[in-house]
Amino acid sequence: MNGYVRGTVTSITIGVAYPDGSAKTLELPDASEIGSIAFHALAVDEEDLPTYDVSEDDWEQNPALMVYPKSVVRGAAAGIPYCTHNGCKK
């Protein structure tokens, strides 16, 4: 841990627009425990791609983003997919 002092993120709200025109507002729980958020496949760890790029044919199965806890060991398939069209996956 470093000795730098900075502000702490206490809440994260994300608006998601889907290909069918519907929209959802997502409140991420425990914002202080989030290390990073990936909004594109290029930012998702390779091990997590199967849970991010789920279906080429059914966009409703693909999450809008991948959340990585701050305590995660990258490269360990530890991302959490959020917000498919049918609901948020945890």
Side-chain angles (χ1 to χ4, degrees):
M1 187 161 126
N2 64 39
Y4 295 98
V5 178
R6 64 189 84 246
T8 301
V9 176
T10 59
S11 66
I12 299 172
T13 304
I14 298 171
V16 179
Y18 295 102
D20 68 352
S22 64
K24 181 187 291 188
T25 300
L26 166 66
E27 297 278 339
L28 291 178
D30 301 323
S32 65
E33 295 300 316
I34 294 173
S36 64
I37 302 171
F39 298 103
H40 190 279
L42 292 175
V44 173
D45 281 358
E46 185 175 342
E47 294 81 3
D48 289 318
L49 284 174
T51 57
Y52 187 74
D53 289 337
V54 177
S55 175
E56 288 187 41
D57 300 322
D58 184 4
W59 64 267
E60 293 180 341
Q61 300 303 311
N62 299 319
L65 54 104
M66 185 72 73
V67 175
Y68 290 94
K70 68 180 181 183
S71 61
V72 74
V73 176
R74 297 303 288 251
I80 303 166
Y82 272 91
C83 276
T84 62
H85 181 267
N86 299 325
C88 291
K89 294 182 178 180
K90 291 187 181 181

mmCIF file of all heavy atoms in Angstrom, residues 27-79:
data_model
loop_
_atom_site.group_PDB
_atom_site.id
_atom_site.type_symbol
_atom_site.label_atom_id
_atom_site.label_comp_id
_atom_site.label_asym_id
_atom_site.label_seq_id
_atom_site.Cartn_x
_atom_site.Cartn_y
_atom_site.Cartn_z
ATOM 1 N N GLU A 27 -26.768 0.806 -10.372
ATOM 2 C CA GLU A 27 -26.047 1.272 -9.179
ATOM 3 C C GLU A 27 -25.125 0.149 -8.752
ATOM 4 O O GLU A 27 -25.594 -0.941 -8.413
ATOM 5 C CB GLU A 27 -27.026 1.582 -8.048
ATOM 6 C CG GLU A 27 -27.995 2.688 -8.328
ATOM 7 C CD GLU A 27 -27.411 4.068 -8.085
ATOM 8 O OE1 GLU A 27 -26.418 4.169 -7.342
ATOM 9 O OE2 GLU A 27 -27.944 5.027 -8.655
ATOM 10 N N LEU A 28 -23.820 0.368 -8.812
ATOM 11 C CA LEU A 28 -22.882 -0.673 -8.386
ATOM 12 C C LEU A 28 -22.732 -0.641 -6.873
ATOM 13 O O LEU A 28 -22.466 0.400 -6.282
ATOM 14 C CB LEU A 28 -21.523 -0.466 -9.047
ATOM 15 C CG LEU A 28 -21.476 -0.716 -10.544
ATOM 16 C CD1 LEU A 28 -20.093 -0.432 -11.091
ATOM 17 C CD2 LEU A 28 -21.869 -2.139 -10.868
ATOM 18 N N PRO A 29 -22.929 -1.786 -6.231
ATOM 19 C CA PRO A 29 -22.801 -1.851 -4.775
ATOM 20 C C PRO A 29 -21.333 -1.832 -4.345
ATOM 21 O O PRO A 29 -20.446 -2.194 -5.124
ATOM 22 C CB PRO A 29 -23.446 -3.179 -4.414
ATOM 23 C CG PRO A 29 -23.238 -4.019 -5.631
ATOM 24 C CD PRO A 29 -23.304 -3.069 -6.812
ATOM 25 N N ASP A 30 -21.089 -1.393 -3.141
ATOM 26 C CA ASP A 30 -19.752 -1.423 -2.543
ATOM 27 C C ASP A 30 -18.700 -0.778 -3.441
ATOM 28 O O ASP A 30 -17.683 -1.382 -3.768
ATOM 29 C CB ASP A 30 -19.337 -2.859 -2.214
ATOM 30 C CG ASP A 30 -20.310 -3.530 -1.260
ATOM 31 O OD1 ASP A 30 -20.811 -2.829 -0.359
ATOM 32 O OD2 ASP A 30 -20.558 -4.732 -1.407
ATOM 33 N N ALA A 31 -18.938 0.456 -3.861
ATOM 34 C CA ALA A 31 -18.029 1.160 -4.773
ATOM 35 C C ALA A 31 -16.605 1.206 -4.242
ATOM 36 O O ALA A 31 -15.650 1.151 -5.026
ATOM 37 C CB ALA A 31 -18.537 2.577 -5.029
ATOM 38 N N SER A 32 -16.428 1.256 -2.951
ATOM 39 C CA SER A 32 -15.072 1.330 -2.384
ATOM 40 C C SER A 32 -14.293 0.030 -2.595
ATOM 41 O O SER A 32 -13.076 0.014 -2.441
ATOM 42 C CB SER A 32 -15.125 1.673 -0.900
ATOM 43 O OG SER A 32 -15.762 0.629 -0.179
ATOM 44 N N GLU A 33 -14.987 -1.052 -2.951
ATOM 45 C CA GLU A 33 -14.327 -2.336 -3.178
ATOM 46 C C GLU A 33 -14.004 -2.598 -4.652
ATOM 47 O O GLU A 33 -13.420 -3.620 -4.991
ATOM 48 C CB GLU A 33 -15.193 -3.473 -2.638
ATOM 49 C CG GLU A 33 -15.379 -3.431 -1.139
ATOM 50 C CD GLU A 33 -14.049 -3.525 -0.379
ATOM 51 O OE1 GLU A 33 -13.215 -4.360 -0.750
ATOM 52 O OE2 GLU A 33 -13.857 -2.738 0.558
ATOM 53 N N ILE A 34 -14.410 -1.680 -5.540
ATOM 54 C CA ILE A 34 -14.178 -1.863 -6.974
ATOM 55 C C ILE A 34 -12.802 -1.335 -7.353
ATOM 56 O O ILE A 34 -12.434 -0.207 -7.012
ATOM 57 C CB ILE A 34 -15.275 -1.158 -7.790
ATOM 58 C CG1 ILE A 34 -16.610 -1.852 -7.527
ATOM 59 C CG2 ILE A 34 -14.933 -1.160 -9.285
ATOM 60 C CD1 ILE A 34 -17.799 -1.165 -8.136
ATOM 61 N N GLY A 35 -12.044 -2.178 -8.069
ATOM 62 C CA GLY A 35 -10.715 -1.780 -8.516
ATOM 63 C C GLY A 35 -10.732 -1.173 -9.903
ATOM 64 O O GLY A 35 -10.041 -0.204 -10.182
ATOM 65 N N SER A 36 -11.559 -1.747 -10.801
ATOM 66 C CA SER A 36 -11.675 -1.216 -12.158
ATOM 67 C C SER A 36 -12.960 -1.722 -12.795
ATOM 68 O O SER A 36 -13.563 -2.696 -12.339
ATOM 69 C CB SER A 36 -10.465 -1.608 -13.009
ATOM 70 O OG SER A 36 -10.407 -3.004 -13.181
ATOM 71 N N ILE A 37 -13.350 -1.035 -13.867
ATOM 72 C CA ILE A 37 -14.533 -1.407 -14.635
ATOM 73 C C ILE A 37 -14.124 -1.430 -16.105
ATOM 74 O O ILE A 37 -13.524 -0.479 -16.600
ATOM 75 C CB ILE A 37 -15.680 -0.404 -14.427
ATOM 76 C CG1 ILE A 37 -16.043 -0.302 -12.949
ATOM 77 C CG2 ILE A 37 -16.891 -0.796 -15.264
ATOM 78 C CD1 ILE A 37 -17.019 0.814 -12.629
ATOM 79 N N ALA A 38 -14.439 -2.521 -16.798
ATOM 80 C CA ALA A 38 -14.140 -2.634 -18.228
ATOM 81 C C ALA A 38 -15.440 -2.458 -19.011
ATOM 82 O O ALA A 38 -16.424 -3.142 -18.745
ATOM 83 C CB ALA A 38 -13.519 -3.992 -18.529
ATOM 84 N N PHE A 39 -15.412 -1.531 -19.976
ATOM 85 C CA PHE A 39 -16.576 -1.263 -20.807
ATOM 86 C C PHE A 39 -16.420 -1.815 -22.229
ATOM 87 O O PHE A 39 -17.302 -1.637 -23.054
ATOM 88 C CB PHE A 39 -16.829 0.245 -20.891
ATOM 89 C CG PHE A 39 -17.140 0.865 -19.565
ATOM 90 C CD1 PHE A 39 -16.185 1.603 -18.892
ATOM 91 C CD2 PHE A 39 -18.393 0.726 -18.992
ATOM 92 C CE1 PHE A 39 -16.475 2.192 -17.677
ATOM 93 C CE2 PHE A 39 -18.685 1.306 -17.769
ATOM 94 C CZ PHE A 39 -17.728 2.039 -17.108
ATOM 95 N N HIS A 40 -15.304 -2.451 -22.506
ATOM 96 C CA HIS A 40 -15.021 -2.961 -23.846
ATOM 97 C C HIS A 40 -14.202 -4.247 -23.726
ATOM 98 O O HIS A 40 -13.400 -4.392 -22.800
ATOM 99 C CB HIS A 40 -14.233 -1.907 -24.634
ATOM 100 C CG HIS A 40 -14.105 -2.219 -26.076
ATOM 101 N ND1 HIS A 40 -13.167 -3.087 -26.571
ATOM 102 C CD2 HIS A 40 -14.813 -1.786 -27.134
ATOM 103 C CE1 HIS A 40 -13.298 -3.166 -27.882
ATOM 104 N NE2 HIS A 40 -14.283 -2.379 -28.251
ATOM 105 N N ALA A 41 -14.371 -5.147 -24.682
ATOM 106 C CA ALA A 41 -13.669 -6.431 -24.648
ATOM 107 C C ALA A 41 -12.148 -6.261 -24.596
ATOM 108 O O ALA A 41 -11.461 -7.088 -24.006
ATOM 109 C CB ALA A 41 -14.063 -7.275 -25.849
ATOM 110 N N LEU A 42 -11.621 -5.201 -25.170
ATOM 111 C CA LEU A 42 -10.168 -4.985 -25.138
ATOM 112 C C LEU A 42 -9.652 -4.721 -23.725
ATOM 113 O O LEU A 42 -8.467 -4.905 -23.459
ATOM 114 C CB LEU A 42 -9.775 -3.828 -26.056
ATOM 115 C CG LEU A 42 -9.970 -4.080 -27.549
ATOM 116 C CD1 LEU A 42 -9.668 -2.813 -28.347
ATOM 117 C CD2 LEU A 42 -9.102 -5.238 -28.019
ATOM 118 N N ALA A 43 -10.536 -4.301 -22.820
ATOM 119 C CA ALA A 43 -10.135 -4.021 -21.441
ATOM 120 C C ALA A 43 -10.446 -5.174 -20.489
ATOM 121 O O ALA A 43 -10.092 -5.125 -19.317
ATOM 122 C CB ALA A 43 -10.815 -2.748 -20.948
ATOM 123 N N VAL A 44 -11.099 -6.215 -21.001
ATOM 124 C CA VAL A 44 -11.463 -7.375 -20.176
ATOM 125 C C VAL A 44 -10.307 -8.367 -20.179
ATOM 126 O O VAL A 44 -9.722 -8.653 -21.223
ATOM 127 C CB VAL A 44 -12.745 -8.047 -20.736
ATOM 128 C CG1 VAL A 44 -13.049 -9.349 -20.021
ATOM 129 C CG2 VAL A 44 -13.921 -7.087 -20.633
ATOM 130 N N ASP A 45 -9.979 -8.896 -18.997
ATOM 131 C CA ASP A 45 -8.940 -9.924 -18.916
ATOM 132 C C ASP A 45 -9.304 -11.093 -19.820
ATOM 133 O O ASP A 45 -10.474 -11.497 -19.899
ATOM 134 C CB ASP A 45 -8.793 -10.441 -17.481
ATOM 135 C CG ASP A 45 -7.989 -9.511 -16.594
ATOM 136 O OD1 ASP A 45 -7.497 -8.474 -17.086
ATOM 137 O OD2 ASP A 45 -7.862 -9.823 -15.401
ATOM 138 N N GLU A 46 -8.315 -11.659 -20.489
ATOM 139 C CA GLU A 46 -8.543 -12.761 -21.427
ATOM 140 C C GLU A 46 -9.324 -13.906 -20.788
ATOM 141 O O GLU A 46 -10.198 -14.505 -21.411
ATOM 142 C CB GLU A 46 -7.206 -13.268 -21.971
ATOM 143 C CG GLU A 46 -7.345 -14.314 -23.031
ATOM 144 C CD GLU A 46 -6.010 -14.726 -23.641
ATOM 145 O OE1 GLU A 46 -5.023 -13.990 -23.504
ATOM 146 O OE2 GLU A 46 -5.987 -15.813 -24.234
ATOM 147 N N GLU A 47 -9.031 -14.203 -19.534
ATOM 148 C CA GLU A 47 -9.700 -15.303 -18.844
ATOM 149 C C GLU A 47 -11.190 -15.034 -18.635
ATOM 150 O O GLU A 47 -11.974 -15.954 -18.424
ATOM 151 C CB GLU A 47 -9.029 -15.571 -17.487
ATOM 152 C CG GLU A 47 -7.615 -16.089 -17.600
ATOM 153 C CD GLU A 47 -6.586 -14.977 -17.840
ATOM 154 O OE1 GLU A 47 -6.950 -13.781 -17.861
ATOM 155 O OE2 GLU A 47 -5.403 -15.298 -18.029
ATOM 156 N N ASP A 48 -11.589 -13.763 -18.665
ATOM 157 C CA ASP A 48 -12.984 -13.387 -18.441
ATOM 158 C C ASP A 48 -13.780 -13.210 -19.729
ATOM 159 O O ASP A 48 -14.995 -13.002 -19.680
ATOM 160 C CB ASP A 48 -13.060 -12.088 -17.625
ATOM 161 C CG ASP A 48 -12.639 -12.288 -16.193
ATOM 162 O OD1 ASP A 48 -13.024 -13.306 -15.602
ATOM 163 O OD2 ASP A 48 -11.917 -11.427 -15.661
ATOM 164 N N LEU A 49 -13.136 -13.285 -20.873
ATOM 165 C CA LEU A 49 -13.841 -13.074 -22.136
ATOM 166 C C LEU A 49 -15.015 -14.022 -22.360
ATOM 167 O O LEU A 49 -16.055 -13.593 -22.877
ATOM 168 C CB LEU A 49 -12.867 -13.127 -23.314
ATOM 169 C CG LEU A 49 -12.009 -11.872 -23.481
ATOM 170 C CD1 LEU A 49 -10.976 -12.089 -24.587
ATOM 171 C CD2 LEU A 49 -12.858 -10.651 -23.764
ATOM 172 N N PRO A 50 -14.937 -15.299 -21.953
ATOM 173 C CA PRO A 50 -16.104 -16.171 -22.154
ATOM 174 C C PRO A 50 -17.365 -15.710 -21.411
ATOM 175 O O PRO A 50 -18.474 -16.025 -21.828
ATOM 176 C CB PRO A 50 -15.631 -17.529 -21.636
ATOM 177 C CG PRO A 50 -14.153 -17.497 -21.785
ATOM 178 C CD PRO A 50 -13.773 -16.062 -21.490
ATOM 179 N N THR A 51 -17.219 -14.968 -20.331
ATOM 180 C CA THR A 51 -18.392 -14.470 -19.615
ATOM 181 C C THR A 51 -18.766 -13.060 -20.049
ATOM 182 O O THR A 51 -19.808 -12.546 -19.655
ATOM 183 C CB THR A 51 -18.180 -14.496 -18.082
ATOM 184 O OG1 THR A 51 -17.027 -13.739 -17.750
ATOM 185 C CG2 THR A 51 -18.055 -15.906 -17.569
ATOM 186 N N TYR A 52 -17.921 -12.430 -20.863
ATOM 187 C CA TYR A 52 -18.209 -11.094 -21.388
ATOM 188 C C TYR A 52 -18.753 -11.183 -22.818
ATOM 189 O O TYR A 52 -19.765 -10.578 -23.147
ATOM 190 C CB TYR A 52 -16.950 -10.232 -21.342
ATOM 191 C CG TYR A 52 -17.200 -8.795 -21.711
ATOM 192 C CD1 TYR A 52 -17.847 -7.941 -20.817
ATOM 193 C CD2 TYR A 52 -16.789 -8.287 -22.930
ATOM 194 C CE1 TYR A 52 -18.097 -6.623 -21.152
ATOM 195 C CE2 TYR A 52 -17.025 -6.964 -23.271
ATOM 196 C CZ TYR A 52 -17.680 -6.139 -22.381
ATOM 197 O OH TYR A 52 -17.920 -4.834 -22.711
ATOM 198 N N ASP A 53 -18.077 -11.918 -23.668
ATOM 199 C CA ASP A 53 -18.539 -12.169 -25.030
ATOM 200 C C ASP A 53 -19.257 -13.516 -25.054
ATOM 201 O O ASP A 53 -18.695 -14.536 -25.431
ATOM 202 C CB ASP A 53 -17.355 -12.181 -26.006
ATOM 203 C CG ASP A 53 -16.767 -10.804 -26.225
ATOM 204 O OD1 ASP A 53 -17.488 -9.809 -25.999
ATOM 205 O OD2 ASP A 53 -15.599 -10.713 -26.629
ATOM 206 N N VAL A 54 -20.498 -13.514 -24.633
ATOM 207 C CA VAL A 54 -21.252 -14.751 -24.451
ATOM 208 C C VAL A 54 -21.848 -15.250 -25.756
ATOM 209 O O VAL A 54 -21.747 -16.420 -26.091
ATOM 210 C CB VAL A 54 -22.369 -14.554 -23.398
ATOM 211 C CG1 VAL A 54 -23.205 -15.814 -23.246
ATOM 212 C CG2 VAL A 54 -21.756 -14.143 -22.063
ATOM 213 N N SER A 55 -22.491 -14.356 -26.515
ATOM 214 C CA SER A 55 -23.211 -14.794 -27.712
ATOM 215 C C SER A 55 -23.093 -13.782 -28.842
ATOM 216 O O SER A 55 -23.361 -12.594 -28.645
ATOM 217 C CB SER A 55 -24.689 -15.003 -27.373
ATOM 218 O OG SER A 55 -25.432 -15.314 -28.532
ATOM 219 N N GLU A 56 -22.709 -14.254 -30.029
ATOM 220 C CA GLU A 56 -22.705 -13.394 -31.211
ATOM 221 C C GLU A 56 -24.115 -13.213 -31.763
ATOM 222 O O GLU A 56 -24.392 -12.224 -32.437
ATOM 223 C CB GLU A 56 -21.807 -13.992 -32.298
ATOM 224 C CG GLU A 56 -20.329 -13.895 -31.970
ATOM 225 C CD GLU A 56 -19.466 -14.346 -33.133
ATOM 226 O OE1 GLU A 56 -19.789 -14.017 -34.293
ATOM 227 O OE2 GLU A 56 -18.462 -15.026 -32.864
ATOM 228 N N ASP A 57 -25.002 -14.166 -31.496
ATOM 229 C CA ASP A 57 -26.349 -14.151 -32.059
ATOM 230 C C ASP A 57 -27.395 -13.485 -31.166
ATOM 231 O O ASP A 57 -28.390 -12.977 -31.657
ATOM 232 C CB ASP A 57 -26.809 -15.583 -32.356
ATOM 233 C CG ASP A 57 -25.895 -16.277 -33.349
ATOM 234 O OD1 ASP A 57 -25.430 -15.618 -34.294
ATOM 235 O OD2 ASP A 57 -25.642 -17.483 -33.162
ATOM 236 N N ASP A 58 -27.193 -13.497 -29.860
ATOM 237 C CA ASP A 58 -28.190 -12.983 -28.923
ATOM 238 C C ASP A 58 -27.559 -11.930 -28.020
ATOM 239 O O ASP A 58 -26.988 -12.244 -26.974
ATOM 240 C CB ASP A 58 -28.751 -14.142 -28.096
ATOM 241 C CG ASP A 58 -29.873 -13.719 -27.163
ATOM 242 O OD1 ASP A 58 -30.288 -12.535 -27.196
ATOM 243 O OD2 ASP A 58 -30.332 -14.576 -26.385
ATOM 244 N N TRP A 59 -27.694 -10.675 -28.421
ATOM 245 C CA TRP A 59 -27.063 -9.587 -27.666
ATOM 246 C C TRP A 59 -27.564 -9.515 -26.225
ATOM 247 O O TRP A 59 -26.874 -9.014 -25.338
ATOM 248 C CB TRP A 59 -27.286 -8.241 -28.367
ATOM 249 C CG TRP A 59 -28.720 -7.813 -28.445
ATOM 250 C CD1 TRP A 59 -29.594 -8.049 -29.459
ATOM 251 C CD2 TRP A 59 -29.450 -7.093 -27.447
ATOM 252 N NE1 TRP A 59 -30.834 -7.530 -29.170
ATOM 253 C CE2 TRP A 59 -30.767 -6.927 -27.935
ATOM 254 C CE3 TRP A 59 -29.146 -6.579 -26.203
ATOM 255 C CZ2 TRP A 59 -31.760 -6.263 -27.222
ATOM 256 C CZ3 TRP A 59 -30.139 -5.915 -25.486
ATOM 257 C CH2 TRP A 59 -31.422 -5.763 -26.000
ATOM 258 N N GLU A 60 -28.761 -10.021 -25.956
ATOM 259 C CA GLU A 60 -29.321 -9.963 -24.613
ATOM 260 C C GLU A 60 -28.512 -10.779 -23.600
ATOM 261 O O GLU A 60 -28.653 -10.584 -22.401
ATOM 262 C CB GLU A 60 -30.771 -10.427 -24.621
ATOM 263 C CG GLU A 60 -31.681 -9.482 -25.376
ATOM 264 C CD GLU A 60 -33.127 -9.937 -25.393
ATOM 265 O OE1 GLU A 60 -33.388 -11.134 -25.141
ATOM 266 O OE2 GLU A 60 -33.993 -9.099 -25.652
ATOM 267 N N GLN A 61 -27.685 -11.688 -24.064
ATOM 268 C CA GLN A 61 -26.873 -12.521 -23.174
ATOM 269 C C GLN A 61 -25.536 -11.867 -22.803
ATOM 270 O O GLN A 61 -24.846 -12.340 -21.899
ATOM 271 C CB GLN A 61 -26.606 -13.878 -23.824
ATOM 272 C CG GLN A 61 -27.863 -14.658 -24.126
ATOM 273 C CD GLN A 61 -28.720 -14.878 -22.887
ATOM 274 O OE1 GLN A 61 -28.225 -15.307 -21.847
ATOM 275 N NE2 GLN A 61 -29.994 -14.577 -22.986
ATOM 276 N N ASN A 62 -25.162 -10.808 -23.511
ATOM 277 C CA ASN A 62 -23.857 -10.177 -23.298
ATOM 278 C C ASN A 62 -23.945 -9.055 -22.273
ATOM 279 O O ASN A 62 -24.741 -8.126 -22.435
ATOM 280 C CB ASN A 62 -23.329 -9.632 -24.626
ATOM 281 C CG ASN A 62 -23.131 -10.720 -25.638
ATOM 282 O OD1 ASN A 62 -22.660 -11.799 -25.317
ATOM 283 N ND2 ASN A 62 -23.507 -10.451 -26.884
ATOM 284 N N PRO A 63 -23.149 -9.115 -21.210
ATOM 285 C CA PRO A 63 -23.176 -8.048 -20.217
ATOM 286 C C PRO A 63 -22.638 -6.739 -20.789
ATOM 287 O O PRO A 63 -21.850 -6.732 -21.733
ATOM 288 C CB PRO A 63 -22.275 -8.576 -19.094
ATOM 289 C CG PRO A 63 -21.391 -9.575 -19.742
ATOM 290 C CD PRO A 63 -22.164 -10.148 -20.888
ATOM 291 N N ALA A 64 -23.075 -5.638 -20.212
ATOM 292 C CA ALA A 64 -22.648 -4.314 -20.662
ATOM 293 C C ALA A 64 -21.261 -3.953 -20.142
ATOM 294 O O ALA A 64 -20.566 -3.143 -20.746
ATOM 295 C CB ALA A 64 -23.657 -3.256 -20.211
ATOM 296 N N LEU A 65 -20.863 -4.541 -19.036
ATOM 297 C CA LEU A 65 -19.575 -4.202 -18.446
ATOM 298 C C LEU A 65 -19.076 -5.319 -17.548
ATOM 299 O O LEU A 65 -19.828 -6.209 -17.179
ATOM 300 C CB LEU A 65 -19.669 -2.892 -17.649
ATOM 301 C CG LEU A 65 -20.757 -2.821 -16.575
ATOM 302 C CD1 LEU A 65 -20.148 -2.972 -15.204
ATOM 303 C CD2 LEU A 65 -21.496 -1.515 -16.698
ATOM 304 N N MET A 66 -17.800 -5.253 -17.239
ATOM 305 C CA MET A 66 -17.159 -6.235 -16.353
ATOM 306 C C MET A 66 -16.529 -5.457 -15.191
ATOM 307 O O MET A 66 -15.777 -4.500 -15.416
ATOM 308 C CB MET A 66 -16.090 -7.015 -17.105
ATOM 309 C CG MET A 66 -15.447 -8.130 -16.326
ATOM 310 S SD MET A 66 -16.502 -9.559 -16.060
ATOM 311 C CE MET A 66 -16.536 -10.281 -17.682
ATOM 312 N N VAL A 67 -16.843 -5.868 -13.988
ATOM 313 C CA VAL A 67 -16.326 -5.198 -12.792
ATOM 314 C C VAL A 67 -15.242 -6.068 -12.171
ATOM 315 O O VAL A 67 -15.400 -7.281 -12.039
ATOM 316 C CB VAL A 67 -17.455 -4.958 -11.766
ATOM 317 C CG1 VAL A 67 -16.912 -4.379 -10.475
ATOM 318 C CG2 VAL A 67 -18.526 -4.053 -12.363
ATOM 319 N N TYR A 68 -14.139 -5.414 -11.786
ATOM 320 C CA TYR A 68 -13.043 -6.115 -11.108
ATOM 321 C C TYR A 68 -12.873 -5.555 -9.696
ATOM 322 O O TYR A 68 -12.643 -4.367 -9.516
ATOM 323 C CB TYR A 68 -11.728 -5.930 -11.884
ATOM 324 C CG TYR A 68 -11.731 -6.680 -13.182
ATOM 325 C CD1 TYR A 68 -12.104 -6.061 -14.364
ATOM 326 C CD2 TYR A 68 -11.391 -8.027 -13.219
ATOM 327 C CE1 TYR A 68 -12.128 -6.758 -15.562
ATOM 328 C CE2 TYR A 68 -11.417 -8.734 -14.413
ATOM 329 C CZ TYR A 68 -11.789 -8.092 -15.576
ATOM 330 O OH TYR A 68 -11.821 -8.787 -16.747
ATOM 331 N N PRO A 69 -13.029 -6.420 -8.694
ATOM 332 C CA PRO A 69 -12.806 -5.983 -7.312
ATOM 333 C C PRO A 69 -11.370 -5.509 -7.122
ATOM 334 O O PRO A 69 -10.459 -5.986 -7.805
ATOM 335 C CB PRO A 69 -13.077 -7.239 -6.481
ATOM 336 C CG PRO A 69 -13.885 -8.127 -7.368
ATOM 337 C CD PRO A 69 -13.441 -7.830 -8.758
ATOM 338 N N LYS A 70 -11.158 -4.589 -6.197
ATOM 339 C CA LYS A 70 -9.799 -4.073 -5.993
ATOM 340 C C LYS A 70 -8.861 -5.135 -5.437
ATOM 341 O O LYS A 70 -7.664 -5.053 -5.622
ATOM 342 C CB LYS A 70 -9.806 -2.841 -5.090
ATOM 343 C CG LYS A 70 -10.180 -3.095 -3.651
ATOM 344 C CD LYS A 70 -10.163 -1.808 -2.868
ATOM 345 C CE LYS A 70 -10.515 -2.025 -1.422
ATOM 346 N NZ LYS A 70 -10.573 -0.764 -0.683
ATOM 347 N N SER A 71 -9.399 -6.163 -4.821
ATOM 348 C CA SER A 71 -8.559 -7.213 -4.239
ATOM 349 C C SER A 71 -8.278 -8.355 -5.216
ATOM 350 O O SER A 71 -7.606 -9.309 -4.851
ATOM 351 C CB SER A 71 -9.235 -7.777 -2.993
ATOM 352 O OG SER A 71 -10.489 -8.344 -3.339
ATOM 353 N N VAL A 72 -8.782 -8.253 -6.459
ATOM 354 C CA VAL A 72 -8.644 -9.353 -7.411
ATOM 355 C C VAL A 72 -7.205 -9.492 -7.902
ATOM 356 O O VAL A 72 -6.470 -8.519 -8.017
ATOM 357 C CB VAL A 72 -9.593 -9.165 -8.614
ATOM 358 C CG1 VAL A 72 -9.102 -8.073 -9.540
ATOM 359 C CG2 VAL A 72 -9.740 -10.452 -9.386
ATOM 360 N N VAL A 73 -6.802 -10.725 -8.130
ATOM 361 C CA VAL A 73 -5.527 -11.002 -8.778
ATOM 362 C C VAL A 73 -5.836 -11.083 -10.265
ATOM 363 O O VAL A 73 -6.532 -11.988 -10.717
ATOM 364 C CB VAL A 73 -4.928 -12.333 -8.275
ATOM 365 C CG1 VAL A 73 -3.659 -12.663 -9.035
ATOM 366 C CG2 VAL A 73 -4.682 -12.272 -6.786
ATOM 367 N N ARG A 74 -5.356 -10.096 -11.028
ATOM 368 C CA ARG A 74 -5.667 -10.071 -12.456
ATOM 369 C C ARG A 74 -5.135 -11.332 -13.119
ATOM 370 O O ARG A 74 -4.134 -11.896 -12.711
ATOM 371 C CB ARG A 74 -5.080 -8.823 -13.113
ATOM 372 C CG ARG A 74 -5.644 -7.497 -12.600
ATOM 373 C CD ARG A 74 -7.156 -7.364 -12.729
ATOM 374 N NE ARG A 74 -7.605 -7.187 -14.078
ATOM 375 C CZ ARG A 74 -8.099 -6.065 -14.572
ATOM 376 N NH1 ARG A 74 -8.190 -5.003 -13.813
ATOM 377 N NH2 ARG A 74 -8.499 -6.011 -15.811
ATOM 378 N N GLY A 75 -5.850 -11.783 -14.125
ATOM 379 C CA GLY A 75 -5.471 -12.991 -14.827
ATOM 380 C C GLY A 75 -6.029 -14.245 -14.178
ATOM 381 O O GLY A 75 -5.638 -15.345 -14.501
ATOM 382 N N ALA A 76 -6.966 -14.077 -13.243
ATOM 383 C CA ALA A 76 -7.509 -15.230 -12.524
ATOM 384 C C ALA A 76 -8.998 -15.443 -12.796
ATOM 385 O O ALA A 76 -9.676 -16.065 -12.007
ATOM 386 C CB ALA A 76 -7.284 -15.040 -11.027
ATOM 387 N N ALA A 77 -9.501 -14.923 -13.922
ATOM 388 C CA ALA A 77 -10.925 -15.035 -14.257
ATOM 389 C C ALA A 77 -11.802 -14.600 -13.091
ATOM 390 O O ALA A 77 -12.659 -15.332 -12.632
ATOM 391 C CB ALA A 77 -11.276 -16.445 -14.719
ATOM 392 N N ALA A 78 -11.571 -13.390 -12.606
ATOM 393 C CA ALA A 78 -12.272 -12.927 -11.418
ATOM 394 C C ALA A 78 -13.192 -11.741 -11.675
ATOM 395 O O ALA A 78 -13.706 -11.151 -10.740
ATOM 396 C CB ALA A 78 -11.248 -12.556 -10.348
ATOM 397 N N GLY A 79 -13.405 -11.397 -12.954
ATOM 398 C CA GLY A 79 -14.303 -10.300 -13.260
ATOM 399 C C GLY A 79 -15.749 -10.694 -13.000
ATOM 400 O O GLY A 79 -16.119 -11.868 -13.044
#
